[in-house]
Amino acid sequence: MKTLVSKTLSSILFALVLPLLALGQTDSVKAGFEIKGFIDAYYVYDFQRPDDHIRQPFLYNHNRHNEFNINLAMLHAAYEKSNVRARLGIMAGTYAQDNYAAEENLLKNVFEANVGVALNKRRSLWLDAGIFPSHIGFESAISTENPTLTRSLLAENSPYFLSGAKLSWSVSEAWTFTALITNGWQRIARPFGNQAPGVGTQLQYQPHERLTFNWSTYAGSDAHDSLDQVMLFNNLYLNLLPSDKFQLIAGFDIGAREAAYTMQGSMRVDNDDWDLWYTPIIIGRIGLSRQLFLAGRAEYYSDPTGVIIDYGAPAGFETWGFSVNLDYYIQENAMFRIEGRSFRSQQAIFPAEGAFRSSNTFIAGSLAIMFP
């Protein structure tokens, strides 16, 4: 069965990409056409040594223990000319397998697929529709775009992708505003029994290329309409690059979801309480040479009622995370990385050899290349 699926996926990749490659050779299209690929191969050793080799359920990247694997392999095509644009990314790997587990069939292998049209002559106002990367957070599924090898708890537990439509307005060289309507919180297909769309906004201020302030929001519900549970979410971050050899990122997420109603006999009693979760993070990265970089991360995730990360523990999920990674640029588009990372909680929530511990530590290595 796995062989059949692999052959089917391979056939689709060739069917999609080969015509694009042919088009890319024509002068009339080449000016606005770009094709690139990305492969991230990795190995992780988790000192908890899970028997099924699948690591913590709140991690969706680089999450296989003691096996060599592919986190993300992608072929990506982009076209933009005049007042139209389109993007198509087809992927495979453990990231796609785990992060898209709720999606159906071949949608699990779509990194993004969207089309857009400019709504004014200045091409500062765009309407895009389809599947696209999330407007939330400073980290991407493409590991070489991030200051650390593995993703933060903040990124792993907020949307990487959304499906819907978005309106993007470049107000000026420094200010950008985006408004979105989506099928839900990291959803391609809408959840069963849910009819209300999600909405989001993004306000970004970039006075110059080395400084970015970002505020992203989301409001919606992934629950059945009968539960009437609304979720509100805010993502804020500062990304500072004072030089080519130093980067500082500070971020903070906070969300709230209406608590579920209760039943008193045959009567429904709505609960006015809200369940909160939040996570602060700070990342620093420094260049030791032109090819060698060192990064450190400290983060905290508090979800006492298990809205996002539900371990079933009495006090929910409240965990500190620390990591250090060393990056070596083999060449501009190829990178080798190694990272040590540890999670610490006041409760014994991390499964380990038939028991639970209050900490989880692992070492990860990655070899990634973007081509051409």
Side-chain angles (χ1 to χ4, degrees):
M1 184 63 181
K2 288 184 178 179
T3 302
L4 178 61
V5 172
S6 299
K7 289 182 177 179
T8 302
L9 178 58
S10 299
S11 300
I12 292 172
L13 285 170
F14 278 111
L16 288 170
V17 173
L18 287 180
L20 294 176
L21 287 170
L23 282 172
Q25 302 306 311
T26 65
D27 292 337
S28 61
V29 177
K30 184 184 293 186
F33 193 79
E34 179 186 43
I35 290 181
K36 60 184 179 181
F38 175 75
I39 298 177
D40 179 5
Y42 74 96
Y43 174 87
V44 174
Y45 189 87
D46 190 319
F47 291 95
Q48 247 83 329
R49 301 195 302 172
D51 289 336
D52 60 3
H53 302 284
I54 297 176
R55 302 188 52 249
Q56 304 297 337
F58 54 84
L59 300 177
Y60 301 93
N61 284 274
H62 306 96
N63 61 352
R64 296 296 191 272
H65 158 68
N66 196 25
E67 66 180 45
F68 292 92
N69 216 317
I70 300 297
N71 186 63
L72 177 63
M74 179 176 62
L75 289 172
H76 191 275
Y79 176 74
E80 183 172 341
K81 193 171 184 180
S82 186
N83 63 337
V84 297
R85 63 187 181 188
R87 300 172 71 87
L88 172 64
I90 304 298
M91 66 177 172
T94 56
Y95 163 81
Q97 181 179 344
D98 295 341
N99 211 31
Y100 289 68
E103 305 302 336
E104 298 180 357
N105 302 324
L106 292 176
L107 288 177
K108 295 179 179 180
N109 299 103
V110 178
F111 181 83
E112 71 172 316
N114 54 74
V115 295
V117 58
L119 301 180
N120 62 358
K121 291 183 179 180
R122 293 178 53 239
R123 299 171 74 245
S124 61
L125 185 65
W126 285 85
L127 177 64
D128 296 274
I131 304 166
F132 37 79
S134 170
H135 65 298
I136 294 170
F138 53 84
E139 291 173 282
S140 163
I142 301 173
S143 61
T144 53
E145 296 179 350
N146 305 315
T148 59
L149 167 56
T150 61
R151 299 310 98 79
S152 65
L153 294 174
L154 178 152
E156 293 282 59
N157 295 282
S158 61
Y160 278 102
F161 63 91
L162 296 165
S163 178
K166 64 178 179 178
L167 190 67
S168 306
W169 180 26
S170 297
V171 183
S172 66
E173 291 186 1
W175 289 94
T176 304
F177 176 75
T178 303
L180 308 94
I181 183 168
T182 78
N183 287 343
W185 174 269
Q186 188 158 279
R187 296 279 188 170
I188 296 177
R190 186 181 293 281
F192 175 79
N194 181 284
Q195 302 295 338
V199 294
T201 62
Q202 181 180 29
L203 183 62
Q204 192 166 94
Y205 176 58
Q206 191 173 28
H208 52 80
E209 61 181 9
R210 295 188 179 275
L211 178 63
T212 302
F213 295 95
N214 186 91
W215 175 34
S216 298
T217 71
Y218 177 86
S221 174
D222 271 10
H224 196 283
D225 285 350
S226 63
L227 296 177
D228 195 25
Q229 282 185 295
V230 174
M231 174 192 295
L232 304 176
F233 182 79
N234 285 269
N235 160 255
L236 301 109
Y237 69 82
L238 161 71
N239 189 353
L240 175 65
L241 296 96
S243 72
D244 292 337
K245 290 190 176 183
F246 183 73
Q247 181 179 19
L248 178 67
I249 297 175
F252 183 73
D253 280 8
I254 184 168
R257 188 183 69 181
E258 286 184 297
Y261 66 84
T262 57
M263 297 297 295
Q264 293 184 3
S266 60
M267 293 184 60
R268 167 175 165 167
V269 179
D270 290 327
N271 194 333
D272 294 331
D273 291 337
W274 289 77
D275 295 322
L276 298 174
W277 76 95
Y278 65 92
T279 173
I281 183 172
I282 187 165
I283 299 174
R285 189 173 191 242
I286 187 168
L288 305 178
S289 69
R290 293 185 61 183
Q291 293 178 284
L292 196 62
F293 284 76
L294 178 69
R297 166 177 51 195
E299 58 187 334
Y300 177 71
Y301 201 100
S302 176
D303 186 4
T305 56
V307 176
I308 302 297
I309 304 177
D310 187 5
Y311 258 104
F317 185 85
E318 297 192 48
T319 298
W320 285 93
F322 303 94
S323 71
V324 176
N325 66 279
L326 191 66
D327 305 339
Y328 178 73
Y329 285 87
I330 302 168
Q331 55 190 45
E332 186 177 359
N333 64 330
M335 186 190 301
F336 171 75
R337 318 180 85 170
I338 186 167
E339 178 181 288
R341 190 175 183 184
S342 181
F343 299 120
R344 309 247 172 215
S345 174
Q346 292 184 348
Q347 304 179 89
I349 60 174
F350 302 109
E353 299 179 313
F356 290 88
R357 297 178 183 173
S358 60
S359 65
N360 174 237
T361 302
F362 63 91
I363 296 174
S366 165
L367 182 60
I369 183 170
M370 176 75 74
F371 58 91

